[in-house]
């Protein structure tokens, strides 16, 4: 009897431990759209998949992805360029391939360009020559290439600007408010953008061109980027008229150590709860559940792939 009771107590304790497991969800700093995305997904995971997670902000994705790869964290959001360079051991990850990263789901494209003060005489990307632009991004290293892609669309090269070193987009936004830089960079729709918009009397995103030559220049730096027109809306501070911006996909990355059934449940919760995701972050209006597994330059986790096959959307 004592032996059976002991076994039962151990089993109960193990079950409680498993149930109480909290997933580590690494994210960009608070105020960034990456943090807002992570929080929205974590909320849906808790409410609909009964999976608890702790969103842990770091200085940037360059610090987070290696932790997901090593198993110290379980998941993170990142952009398509970051997952490509990390899993192939290229760019900032040269010589340290993150081969245990897997794609769980494609979320939606981020929209961005350089923004200026609303009353600035800078009207186009070409006008940024000789201007102070954030650069360096020691905690978000792929952003330099993304900014180079935006500038190239307007015929501007790195040598044409005055680079101002910042560790991440949050610092860059603060420097813009303080007048230390002339053109800021941040994804459209982020809470920090609204804060900057209000504190400076208004900002204005500079338009990109969809001319084939301009797009080709952009793609030399960011092959996955494309140009799309954005219409004004309450969530889009800095866009007062239809404006063409650069778009590139964001996704959820997980470590290969994450159990198949857990990754399956996360994908299912996201697929079935677009309205709830939008409630947390308006940018999820661009989320297309049927395209959650569109082609990416990295391997998908088998857990969500099982779900996508069941839904008939597996590629």
């Amino acid at each position: 009897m004592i032996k059976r009771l002991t076994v039962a107590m151990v089993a109960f304790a193990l079950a409680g431990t498993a149930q109480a497991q909290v997933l580590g969800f690494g994210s960009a700093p608070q105020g960034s759209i990456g943090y807002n995305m992570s929080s929205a997904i974590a909320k849906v995971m808790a409410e609909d998949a009964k999976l608890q997670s702790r969103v842990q902000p770091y200085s940037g994705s360059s610090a987070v992805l290696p932790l997901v790869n090593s198993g110290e964290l379980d998941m993170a959001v990142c952009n398509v360029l970051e997952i490509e360079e990390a899993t192939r051991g290229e760019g900032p990850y040269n010589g340290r391939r993150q081969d245990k990263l897997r794609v769980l789901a494609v979320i939606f494209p981020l929209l961005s360009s350089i923004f200026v003060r609303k009353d600035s005489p800078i009207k186009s990307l070409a006008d940024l020559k000789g201007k102070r632009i954030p650069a360096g991004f020691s905690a978000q290293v792929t952003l330099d290439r993304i900014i180079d892609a935006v500038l190239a669309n307007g015929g501007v090269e790195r040598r044409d600007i005055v680079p101002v070193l910042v560790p991440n987009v949050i610092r860059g936004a603060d420097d813009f408010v303080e007048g230390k830089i002339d053109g800021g960079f941040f994804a459209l729709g982020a809470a920090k953008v609204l804060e900057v918009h209000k504190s400076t009397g208004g900002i204005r995103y500079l338009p990109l061109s969809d001319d084939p030559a301009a797009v080709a220049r952009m793609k030399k730096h960011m092959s996955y980027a494309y140009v799309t027109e954005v219409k004004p809306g309450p969530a889009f501070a800095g866009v007062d008229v239809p404006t063409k911006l650069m778009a590139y996909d964001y996704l959820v990355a997980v470590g290969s150590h994450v159990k198949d059934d857990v990754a399956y449940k996360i994908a299912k919760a996201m697929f079935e709860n677009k309205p709830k995701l939008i409630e947390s972050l308006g940018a999820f209006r661009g989320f297309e559940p049927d395209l959650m597994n569109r082609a990416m330059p990295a391997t998908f986790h088998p857990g969500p792939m099982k779900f996508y096959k069941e839904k008939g959307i597996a590629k």
Side-chain angles (χ1 to χ4, degrees), residues 47-274:
E47 293 179 352
D48 290 82
K50 309 306 177 188
L51 293 171
Q52 299 302 315
S53 63
R54 181 179 295 112
V55 178
Q56 303 174 49
Y58 288 79
S59 56
S61 50
S62 303
V64 172
L65 291 182
L67 296 178
V68 176
N69 184 73
S70 68
E72 294 175 64
L73 291 173
D74 301 295
M75 58 193 296
V77 296
C78 65
N79 68 54
V80 60
L81 176 59
E82 289 169 328
I83 197 73
E84 177 187 47
E85 291 185 334
T87 56
R88 295 181 181 178
E90 299 174 350
Y93 297 94
N94 186 32
R96 53 190 190 103
R97 182 169 171 250
Q98 310 294 301
D99 60 350
K100 294 181 175 61
L101 292 178
R102 301 290 182 267
V103 179
L104 185 141
V106 180
I107 313 173
F108 53 74
L110 279 195
L111 306 166
S112 62
S113 179
I114 304 296
F115 59 77
V116 296
R117 292 174 186 264
K118 197 169 186 177
D119 59 358
S120 170
I122 300 172
K123 303 298 183 184
S124 69
L125 292 172
D127 292 339
L128 292 172
K129 290 182 179 180
K131 304 303 182 183
R132 298 168 298 170
I133 305 297
F137 295 100
S138 56
Q140 293 177 291
V141 289
T142 58
L143 291 188
D144 271 316
R145 279 183 59 187
I146 293 173
I147 287 181
D148 284 343
V150 171
L151 294 174
N153 181 277
V156 180
E157 298 181 17
R158 178 60 63 110
R159 65 188 179 189
D160 299 324
I161 65 166
V162 179
V164 178
L165 299 181
V166 295
N168 53 44
V169 290
I170 298 293
R171 175 68 64 78
D174 290 338
D175 283 357
F176 178 84
V177 171
E178 294 172 13
K180 296 178 180 178
I181 56 177
D182 303 302
F185 177 82
F186 220 108
L188 183 71
K192 187 69 175 180
V193 174
L194 181 58
E195 177 188 318
V196 172
H197 182 70
K198 289 179 177 179
S199 62
T200 59
I203 61 171
R204 172 170 40 84
Y205 276 88
L206 298 175
L208 275 76
S209 170
D210 57 5
D211 177 80
V215 172
R217 290 195 302 268
M218 177 184 74
K219 284 183 172 290
K220 283 184 179 180
H221 296 277
M222 182 75 170
S223 61
Y224 298 98
Y226 54 97
V227 176
T228 187
E229 186 173 86
V230 179
K231 292 180 172 56
F236 294 155
V239 175
D240 294 332
V241 297
T243 305
K244 292 174 182 175
L245 301 178
M246 187 175 85
Y248 52 96
D249 287 326
Y250 247 69
L251 54 93
V252 179
V254 294
S256 59
H257 67 277
V258 175
K259 293 181 179 179
D260 288 3
D261 65 321
V262 171
Y264 176 102
K265 290 176 182 177
I266 297 171
K268 183 174 185 292
M270 291 177 63
F271 183 91
E272 295 177 347
N273 289 282
K274 179 175 177 177

Side-chain angles (χ1 to χ4, degrees), residues 271-315:
F271 183 91
E272 295 177 347
N273 289 282
K274 179 175 177 177
K276 286 188 177 181
L277 290 168
I278 292 173
E279 284 178 10
S280 297
L281 179 62
F284 271 101
R285 290 185 179 87
F287 172 51
E288 298 183 52
D290 287 344
L291 297 178
M292 286 172 68
N293 74 321
R294 60 180 173 270
M296 287 286 111
T299 304
F300 270 79
H301 192 289
M305 282 305 298
K306 178 183 177 183
F307 175 74
Y308 300 143
K309 288 175 182 176
E310 290 175 1
K311 299 302 295 185
I313 62 171
K315 300 293 188 291

